[in-house]
Amino acid sequence: MIDHSFGFYGIAFFGIILARYFLVAGGTYLCFYSPLGKSVANPKLLSWTPSLRSVQHDIKLSVLSAGVFALAAAFIMSAYSEGITRLYSHLQQSGLWYLGVSYGAVLVLQDAYFYFTHRLFHHPLLFRWLHQGHHRSRYPTPWTSFAFDPLEAIVQSLFLVGIVFVIPLHFITLIAVLTTMTVWAVLNHLGIDRLPSSFPHHWLGRWFIGPAHHSVHHRRYTVHYGLYFTFWDKLLGTQDPNYEQKMGDRQINQSYPRI
């Protein structure tokens, strides 16, 4: 692998992260908030359209977050060039089976890290400085998925910086984690009212965070802090005990008024 300067990596990753954001978040927004997207949504729940000002605010924060994550990525690549991370590029080093194991392990660890930091950000002394910007979009859209306050972006990027020094990871695994994080965040901010009534909710889905689960958090700040899984919310009592019943009855709008 060719070594480059920290500045080169920073600029390159800033462009890549921004392009990924506009491609995934923008594409999803066009699909679900266009006239065609509205035609497949649940007409009983479809009741609000995000303002241009709200979208612009989310994009502004996302550009700042892209800068933070680009610096983190530049640091990781520079450290890799120095041989001080546990990243590797040869598949034979740990075997193909390890790709799946390490991928799952990172998702579980990231979910725990996100849950506890996210819950901490909602402390009254920290919320204004670390998380208020994300919640200015009272009704989330795909554009909100990457809209972090700069300090929050730093905290979240530290997980990715730290994990490459702790767990041996192939670059394929790292890219898979980043892709999962991006797609999952966009879907979580899609909003329940953009989904058809037939959207499946089964026993397996109860263990994963989805747009309905996370939309409740944007309406009621004291519940639903997870990223990928509902495990920590259920274990630590931060999942609405009536959520599954309300979800089954499709009463999200009535049960969780926007704040």
Side-chain angles (χ1 to χ4, degrees):
M1 184 175 293
I2 300 175
D3 294 337
H4 295 287
S5 67
F6 181 89
F8 174 86
Y9 284 130
I11 295 172
F13 280 113
F14 181 67
I16 292 171
I17 293 170
L18 268 188
R20 181 188 65 183
Y21 169 70
F22 282 106
L23 179 63
V24 179
T28 305
Y29 184 86
L30 287 175
C31 287
F32 286 92
Y33 288 78
S34 66
L36 177 61
K38 292 179 181 179
S39 69
V40 299
N42 185 342
K44 295 181 179 180
L45 297 178
L46 193 62
S47 59
W48 195 83
T49 300
S51 67
L52 177 61
R53 182 178 180 181
S54 175
V55 170
Q56 289 175 334
H57 170 266
D58 285 343
I59 293 176
K60 179 181 178 180
L61 280 185
S62 298
V63 171
L64 294 175
S65 296
V68 172
F69 279 87
L71 291 176
F75 174 80
I76 290 172
M77 291 306 301
S78 297
Y80 171 77
S81 298
E82 296 295 326
I84 58 177
T85 71
R86 305 198 70 182
L87 290 170
Y88 64 96
S89 58
H90 299 291
L91 286 173
Q92 295 79 10
Q93 180 170 325
S94 297
L96 293 177
W97 65 271
Y98 182 73
L99 295 180
V101 171
S102 57
Y103 170 76
V106 173
L107 291 189
V108 170
L109 291 173
Q110 187 182 23
D111 181 69
Y113 181 86
F114 184 89
Y115 174 88
F116 289 104
T117 55
H118 186 193
R119 190 171 178 179
L120 181 64
F121 294 158
H122 276 271
H123 190 282
L125 295 178
L126 300 176
F127 182 79
R128 177 183 177 185
W129 305 103
L130 283 94
H131 199 49
Q132 187 177 47
H134 184 75
H135 277 284
R136 284 179 182 168
S137 295
R138 297 170 186 261
Y139 184 87
T141 72
W143 296 114
T144 317
S145 60
F146 206 48
F148 300 132
D149 287 296
L151 289 177
E152 179 178 8
I154 291 173
V155 173
Q156 297 303 339
S157 68
L158 287 177
F159 172 83
L160 298 173
V161 172
I163 203 69
V164 300
F165 290 94
V166 177
I167 299 177
L169 294 175
H170 192 280
F171 277 100
I172 290 177
T173 304
L174 184 60
I175 292 172
V177 169
L178 293 173
T179 301
T180 301
M181 180 176 67
T182 300
V183 173
W184 210 292
V186 168
L187 292 178
N188 281 352
H189 291 89
L190 184 57
I192 185 178
D193 57 359
R194 301 291 154 171
L195 299 172
S197 299
S198 59
F199 185 76
H201 297 279
H202 44 68
W203 67 268
L204 183 60
R206 296 173 183 175
W207 292 99
F208 292 93
I209 305 295
H213 192 276
H214 190 69
S215 68
V216 172
H217 174 72
H218 276 265
R219 304 181 189 203
R220 184 180 171 193
Y221 294 176
T222 57
V223 296
H224 297 195
Y225 296 105
L227 176 61
Y228 300 124
F229 314 111
T230 59
F231 170 78
W232 290 108
D233 280 315
K234 290 180 177 180
L235 180 66
L236 299 181
T238 54
Q239 174 151 300
D240 184 341
N242 299 316
Y243 166 73
E244 293 182 4
Q245 177 183 351
K246 293 173 182 175
M247 189 62 237
D249 295 336
R250 309 297 287 182
Q251 295 178 350
I252 296 297
N253 280 341
Q254 296 84 357
S255 303
Y256 303 105
R258 297 183 181 92
I259 58 177

